[in-house]
């Protein structure tokens, strides 16, 4: 039962703030560090992004200016302060931030943080309760530790890219999976360390590399190799799961994931008006359909080319066949279910105006996290954060004087 004494907007704002009271200092660039910071910010943490004066996170300028879509993707719900830690005054402000922080995140190459005065040993001496998260490409030590790593490099090194590239047209496809997933794993590690610190009062070092993250994400392929010596390829999983993408008469596409239950195949036979199709010995069993998937692709492709996508979706829905329209970005959030789930949300930036994004997928107590703060412009919160530090400084002095 909801407490109607709490205003509706306040409920929406508070519902997802399970990390309220946790302060995160993020000194991240591009994707991995900022993605980890954003995930914590989405859960209500106070995330302060420390950036270089003038340019900030290099992702800001990927489309000219300092507010590219690339930057916007991973930096909502944060505040920005610009600090040049080589300047003594700014270095002092940075240290004050660390003294107040619960978590510090960086994704520099190994050794760079020490050169910038942000190494773990120094920061932990300032704040023993600090959770120190270091994200790298290949790990903090080892023969490849100093190598540059980006998304495609990590996908390739982990064996994952081999599962995506079409041998007939071998080129890199898809979004920055390794970057984003490494940010997820970093946030996952940070949350575990915070839970432990609640018991012990002592911070932890959290390390994650893109290589480790992608190898773990590629666990299915490694497990098949360990168990049976199978080396999976791009079509291994779609063959076993019986997944299809089929072009319709209007040029749009439908995706099917038939898996193993026979009822789905009976439903598909009814939807395509071929009731005896799966009496064919080639397609009558799961094993047969896996062995003859190429023939099934051709057969179903010819059938689906006779009707529009909307017609096929209606037929497949009526027969409870696992399917979805293969939407592009402009379509996906317009789907009735996506609209029901309020996936598209917007916030208001005091300078840049209305801003749209996709909300966090995690709801607490049945309340969707629809409140969002747009990504900050560079140094937007310089005065605000410095004022907060001044208040904390004065409070600390007051406590100290009262003990004398």
């Amino acid at each position: 039962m909801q407490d109607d004494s709490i205003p509706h907007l306040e409920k929406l704002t508070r519902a997802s703030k399970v990390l309220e009271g946790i302060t995160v200092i993020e000194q991240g660039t591009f994707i991995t560090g900022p993605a980890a910071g954003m995930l914590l910010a989405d859960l209500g943490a106070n995330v302060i992004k420390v950036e270089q004066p003038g340019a900030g996170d290099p992702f800001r300028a990927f489309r000219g200016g300092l507010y590219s879509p690339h930057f916007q993707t991973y930096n909502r719900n944060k505040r920005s302060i610009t600090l040049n830690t080589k300047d003594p005054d700014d270095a002092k402000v940075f240290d004050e931030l660390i003294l107040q922080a619960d978590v510090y995140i960086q994704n520099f190459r190994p050794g760079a943080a020490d050169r910038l005065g942000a190494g773990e040993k120094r920061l932990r001496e300032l704040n023993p309760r600090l959770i120190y998260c270091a994200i790298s490409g290949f790990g903090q030590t080892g023969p490849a530790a100093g190598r540059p790593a980006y998304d495609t490099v990590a996908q390739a090194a982990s064996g994952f890219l081999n599962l995506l590239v079409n041998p007939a047209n071998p080129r890199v496809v898809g979004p920055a999976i390794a970057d984003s997933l490494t940010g997820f794993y970093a946030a996952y590690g940070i949350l575990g360390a915070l839970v432990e610190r609640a018991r012990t009062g002592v911070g932890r070092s959290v390390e994650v590399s893109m290589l480790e993250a992608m190898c773990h994400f590629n666990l299915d392929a490694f497990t098949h190799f360990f168990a049976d010596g199978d080396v999976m390829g791009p079509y291994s999983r779609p063959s076993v799961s019986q997944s299809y993408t089929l072009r319709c008469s209007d040029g749009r596409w439908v995706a099917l994931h038939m898996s193993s239950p026979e009822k789905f195949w009976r439903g598909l036979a009814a939807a395509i008006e071929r009731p005896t199709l799966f009496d064919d010995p080639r397609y009558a069993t799961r094993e047969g359909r896996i062995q003859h998937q190429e023939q099934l692709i051709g057969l179903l492709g010819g059938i689906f080319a006779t009707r529009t996508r909307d017609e096929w979706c209606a037929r497949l829905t009526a027969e409870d066949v696992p399917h979805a329209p293969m939407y592009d970005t402009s379509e996906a959030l317009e789907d009735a279910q996506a609209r029901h789930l309020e996936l598209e949300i917007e916030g208001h930036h005091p300078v840049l105006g209305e801003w749209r994004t996709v909300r966090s997928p995690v709801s607490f107590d049945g309340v969707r996290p629809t409140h969002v703060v747009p990504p900050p412009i560079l140094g937007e919160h310089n005065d605000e954060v410095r004022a907060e530090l001044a208040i904390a400084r004065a409070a600390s002095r007051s406590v100290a004087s009262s003990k004398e």
Side-chain angles (χ1 to χ4, degrees):
M1 181 180 295
Q2 292 186 333
D3 182 356
D4 293 331
S5 67
I6 302 175
H8 179 63
L9 181 58
E10 187 179 350
K11 288 180 187 177
L12 294 178
T13 303
R14 287 173 51 189
S16 61
K17 292 200 171 188
V18 294
L19 291 184
E20 188 171 17
I22 297 296
T23 294
V24 178
I25 305 304
E26 178 219 297
Q27 206 167 11
T29 59
F30 296 106
I31 298 179
T32 56
M38 184 188 75
L39 290 168
L40 301 175
D42 282 353
L43 295 179
N46 168 31
V47 178
I48 301 172
K49 186 178 181 74
V50 175
E51 302 187 73
Q52 281 292 319
D57 184 337
F59 233 21
R60 285 183 175 275
F62 258 47
R63 191 173 285 182
L66 293 174
Y67 207 69
S68 73
H70 309 78
F71 171 81
Q72 292 178 46
T73 302
Y74 301 101
N75 288 284
R76 68 190 183 199
N77 291 328
K78 301 178 186 178
R79 296 189 290 170
S80 169
I81 182 172
T82 54
L83 296 174
N84 174 8
T85 53
K86 294 180 181 179
D87 176 85
D89 290 336
D90 280 4
K92 182 179 178 182
V93 171
F94 177 77
D95 285 358
E96 286 186 292
L97 287 171
I98 295 301
L99 285 167
Q100 304 292 326
D102 298 283
V103 178
Y104 171 77
I105 301 171
Q106 55 94 341
N107 61 326
F108 305 128
R109 280 206 217 183
D114 288 307
R115 294 192 295 272
L116 294 170
E120 180 190 358
K121 181 179 179 181
R122 196 183 84 81
L123 299 196
R124 193 169 301 290
E125 287 174 352
L126 289 172
N127 182 355
R129 288 175 53 82
L130 187 70
I131 308 297
Y132 186 102
C133 179
I135 304 171
S136 62
F138 289 99
Q140 298 296 319
T141 60
R147 285 173 50 192
Y150 289 93
D151 183 84
T152 304
V153 174
Q155 286 195 41
S158 66
F160 190 77
L161 188 62
N162 184 61
L163 302 180
L164 298 182
V165 171
N166 181 349
N169 183 22
R171 58 178 297 178
V172 176
V173 298
I177 299 172
D179 282 328
S180 297
L181 280 169
T182 303
F184 269 90
Y185 280 110
Y188 159 79
I190 289 166
L191 290 173
L194 284 169
V195 171
E196 183 195 51
R197 195 192 67 176
R199 297 194 305 268
T200 67
V202 180
R204 278 271 193 175
S205 169
V206 177
E207 294 181 3
V208 61
S209 71
M210 296 172 71
L211 177 60
E212 291 167 294
M214 285 310 297
C215 283
H216 186 272
F217 188 70
N218 200 20
L219 187 58
D220 181 54
F222 287 116
T223 303
H224 278 77
F225 176 70
F226 295 150
D228 295 321
D230 292 341
V231 176
M232 298 177 73
Y235 302 126
S236 300
R237 199 279 309 180
S239 174
V240 172
S241 66
Q242 285 293 285
S243 301
Y244 299 84
T245 53
L246 301 164
R247 195 171 190 268
C248 305
S249 65
D250 54 2
R252 298 191 291 179
W253 295 73
V254 169
L256 306 178
H257 187 120
M258 300 303 295
S259 195
S260 54
E262 288 299 317
K263 67 174 184 176
F264 294 150
W265 292 98
R266 291 194 296 272
L268 178 60
I272 63 178
E273 298 179 351
R274 303 289 197 282
T276 63
L277 175 61
F278 299 108
D279 294 338
D280 185 318
R282 294 173 296 172
Y283 314 133
T285 64
R286 177 174 179 270
E287 293 74 15
R289 291 189 286 266
I290 291 172
Q291 184 180 352
H292 298 97
Q293 189 179 35
E294 286 299 320
Q295 292 96 315
L296 259 180
I297 289 172
L299 190 154
L300 293 173
I303 294 172
F304 273 75
T306 64
R307 297 181 187 271
T308 67
R309 186 176 74 182
D310 287 348
E311 290 177 290
W312 281 121
C313 286
R315 284 172 166 264
L316 294 167
T317 298
E319 299 295 340
D320 197 33
V321 178
H323 77 285
M326 198 169 81
Y327 288 137
D328 64 25
T329 312
S330 69
E331 299 174 295
L333 299 181
E334 297 302 316
D335 181 270
Q337 184 63 24
R339 293 178 71 85
H340 168 77
L341 294 173
E342 300 176 280
L343 288 174
E344 181 182 325
I345 59 175
E346 67 178 35
H348 181 82
H349 192 279
V351 175
L352 302 175
E354 298 306 309
W355 181 80
R356 296 188 297 168
T357 190
V358 175
R359 68 168 175 82
S360 167
V362 182
S363 298
F364 295 95
D365 297 329
V367 180
R368 296 170 188 146
T370 57
H371 176 78
V372 68
V373 177
I377 58 177
L378 182 62
E380 179 177 341
H381 303 95
N382 280 344
D383 293 342
E384 180 177 297
V385 173
R386 287 172 182 269
E388 290 172 0
L389 290 175
I391 292 171
R393 197 181 311 128
S396 178
R397 284 197 297 265
S398 175
V399 171
S401 63
S402 68
K403 293 180 178 180
E404 293 176 356

